[in-house]
Amino acid sequence: MKKNIIAILLALVLVFAMTGCGGSDSGALKVGTEPTFPPFDTTDEDQNIVGFDMDLISAIAEDQGLEVEFVNLSFDGLVPAVKNGDIDIVAAGMSITDERLEQVDFTDAYYDSQLFVAVPVDNTTITGIDDLTPDMKVAAQTGTTGAAKVQELYDQGKIKEAVILDGLDTCMMQLINGDVSAVINDKPVTETYMKKQPDKIKMVGEALTAESYGFAVAKGNEELLEKLNAGLANVIADGTFDELIEKWFSTAQ
Ligand code: ARG
């Protein structure tokens, strides 16, 4: 009798160990991001990774009975990391582009965005991209669509230097300090930096691009892609998506 109970207890321990109940590395999906991109990807006072993307992917995972944990990487490291299996999902306000579609698969789009030129609020000479001149330095975050635009301007001889930096926070700091003349970045994120530090930065001119964000997975990981798309559709249908928009876009984060 006693032996049976011990055997049953051992079996239970084994089952819990295998299914990872209560464990921390319980086979949770690794979600990679780069958190200087508020309100999509940012950090709280305790340096936890938080944001609209984190809440959205968590809601999608919960809907699909999956668990997620967040991994902090540089933006240009995200596609390589999902390709080599270090992470399962990219949730980083990542625009669905043809170049990236050659390397990874994307879910359905969840947010429409645009690139804009940002300048110091007191600048009166730059009213759009055509006012950038060959004596100017222009910054963007490494690996982003904004950086591709800045590189293009440089290659065309239209600016003096493409200042490609790791964090978007550094780009914005350099803009405020006058180290660079302009930053090219996603509109909703520049708007959030404008709210965080009022009267420092403004956007000028027309939208340079129209882009849509999706979550990326390894090429051919159809099982995960289908779950993420199903979960996304469900959290849109049940109102969770709109609640998260309200939570993250109504105040400066
Ligand atoms: N949407 C732009 C891109 O895909 C910028 C994304 C930057 N995201 C971030 N988490 N830093 O290139």
Side-chain angles (χ1 to χ4, degrees):
M1 189 59 185
K2 212 172 181 182
K3 263 189 188 159
N4 280 345
I5 290 173
I6 289 171
I8 288 168
L9 284 177
L10 277 176
L12 278 175
V13 166
L14 204 67
V15 166
F16 274 102
M18 279 170 27
T19 55
C21 293
S24 60
D25 51 9
S26 50
L29 294 169
K30 289 199 169 68
V31 178
T33 196
E34 191 289 322
T36 63
F37 201 69
F40 296 93
D41 318 298
T42 184
T43 45
D44 65 14
E45 316 75 67
D46 305 319
Q47 297 310 307
N48 298 307
I49 298 173
V50 297
F52 176 79
D53 282 340
M54 281 63 248
D55 280 357
L56 180 57
I57 198 71
S58 297
I60 291 170
E62 193 185 336
D63 180 79
Q64 294 294 306
L66 302 169
E67 273 187 50
V68 290
E69 63 188 36
F70 299 112
V71 183
N72 186 343
L73 292 168
S74 77
F75 189 76
D76 63 355
L78 290 166
V79 165
V82 80
K83 276 181 80 173
N84 72 24
D86 282 350
I87 58 174
D88 302 289
I89 302 170
V90 176
M94 186 174 274
S95 304
I96 303 168
T97 65
D98 290 341
E99 294 82 9
R100 289 176 184 151
L101 279 167
E102 285 171 18
Q103 313 212 56
V104 292
D105 287 340
F106 279 96
T107 61
D108 295 332
Y110 64 86
Y111 199 88
D112 292 332
S113 186
Q114 299 168 318
L115 287 181
F116 265 86
V117 174
V119 297
V121 77
D122 51 9
N123 177 289
T124 51
T125 56
I126 304 170
T127 62
I129 192 161
D130 295 333
D131 293 330
L132 299 175
T133 52
D135 58 340
M136 292 178 182
K137 295 181 182 179
V138 180
Q141 183 178 33
T142 182
T144 62
T145 49
K149 221 24 193 200
V150 170
Q151 189 61 42
E152 187 184 304
L153 291 170
Y154 177 76
D155 292 343
Q156 295 168 345
K158 292 185 176 161
I159 57 172
K160 181 169 86 184
E161 195 179 325
V163 180
I164 307 302
L165 302 166
D166 242 353
L168 190 63
D169 48 353
T170 319
C171 296
M172 293 304 180
M173 216 153 68
Q174 294 220 356
L175 185 66
I176 290 169
N177 292 342
D179 299 329
V180 297
S181 301
V183 166
I184 298 185
N185 184 51
D186 304 45
K187 179 173 183 239
V189 177
T190 297
E191 277 170 346
T192 306
Y193 275 95
M194 287 162 58
K195 280 190 233 165
K196 282 173 146 203
Q197 279 190 283
D199 304 321
K200 301 265 191 215
I201 306 165
K202 65 180 178 186
M203 284 184 287
V204 291
E206 311 270 301
L208 309 178
T209 58
E211 311 184 358
S212 300
Y213 302 162
F215 300 112
V217 301
K219 244 194 180 324
N221 192 350
E222 265 164 47
E223 193 187 333
L224 180 56
L225 196 63
E226 273 167 27
K227 284 184 181 167
L228 297 183
N229 277 332
L232 177 60
N234 288 342
V235 303
I236 290 172
D238 73 7
T240 305
F241 186 91
D242 286 341
E243 279 169 29
L244 295 180
I245 291 282
E246 174 66 22
K247 171 180 171 188
W248 288 100
F249 288 85
S250 56
T251 54
Q253 297 285 342

